[in-house]
Structures are given as C-alpha cells and as structure tokens.
Amino acid sequence: MTGAFAAQRFSPIAPTRLAAIYVNDVIGWSERLDLRPAESGANVWLLEPYDDVVFDRAASREGVVCVSPTQLAVDLLTGPGRDPSEGEELLAWMKGHESAWRTR
C-alpha cells in the first residue's frame, strides 16, 4: 500500500477514501481481487511501478504491507488532492519518530 491508506498506519490525519496499491501485474491483480473499472469515484488504484524500488523496505504495519516511509513521503508529496498535505504531515512524523523508521 501507499498513499493516504498507508499514511494512516504512521500518522492518522483524516479518513481514507482511496487505497493505492503497488502491484507487478495490474490486470492479474484486478481479476484476482474482482475489481471493476470505474470512470470516476474509484476507491482502489492498482499501480504498476516503473521500478521495483517501491517494494524496497516495505513492511507490515497494522496487518497491511506498506511501502517504506521514505517512499510513502515521495508518493504523497507528488500525489493528487490532499496527498501533498498528508505528505507534509508524514514528514513531520518522520522527524519526530526517526528511530521508528530509519534503518541503520
């Protein structure tokens, strides 16, 4: 997971309306999850990354596999809608909780 849904596992801000999930095969996963296309109002985004680096340091948080906090910050800061403000909140959380996310 990435985006606001994953951010809730670090620093809850507001209710999430969209689940953004990195997968290696959008068509395969959409069939496996029985998802239907939506012209508008989608609540699940399946994202095929251009590089597998998005999976580096992914970890389970509250039963959900999330991208690393650094990847999450990049995704939020460059995302649509309120994502950039959530990215700023995540950065503030990261500054205050460095031992909880930084690898040595």
Side-chain angles (χ1 to χ4, degrees), residues 12-102:
I13 299 168
T16 303
R17 294 191 169 104
L18 174 68
I21 309 165
Y22 281 118
V23 297
N24 284 324
D25 175 17
V26 167
I27 293 172
W29 275 100
S30 64
E31 291 172 356
R32 184 175 178 182
L33 296 171
D34 196 26
L35 300 176
R36 295 179 304 274
E39 291 294 321
S40 64
N43 56 7
V44 176
W45 284 355
L46 297 182
L47 311 166
E48 271 189 57
Y50 69 89
D51 190 303
D52 283 345
V53 72
V54 300
F55 300 113
D56 289 353
R57 294 180 39 234
S60 180
R61 294 187 71 90
E62 299 176 11
V64 175
V65 177
C66 299
V67 296
S68 70
T70 52
Q71 180 65 50
L72 180 56
V74 169
D75 291 344
L76 287 169
L77 292 170
T78 60
R82 68 181 189 199
D83 279 5
S85 63
E86 291 190 29
E88 293 295 336
E89 288 293 325
L90 178 64
L91 289 177
W93 178 87
M94 290 170 73
K95 288 177 187 173
H97 300 87
E98 191 170 340
S99 63
W101 65 269
R102 185 179 287 274

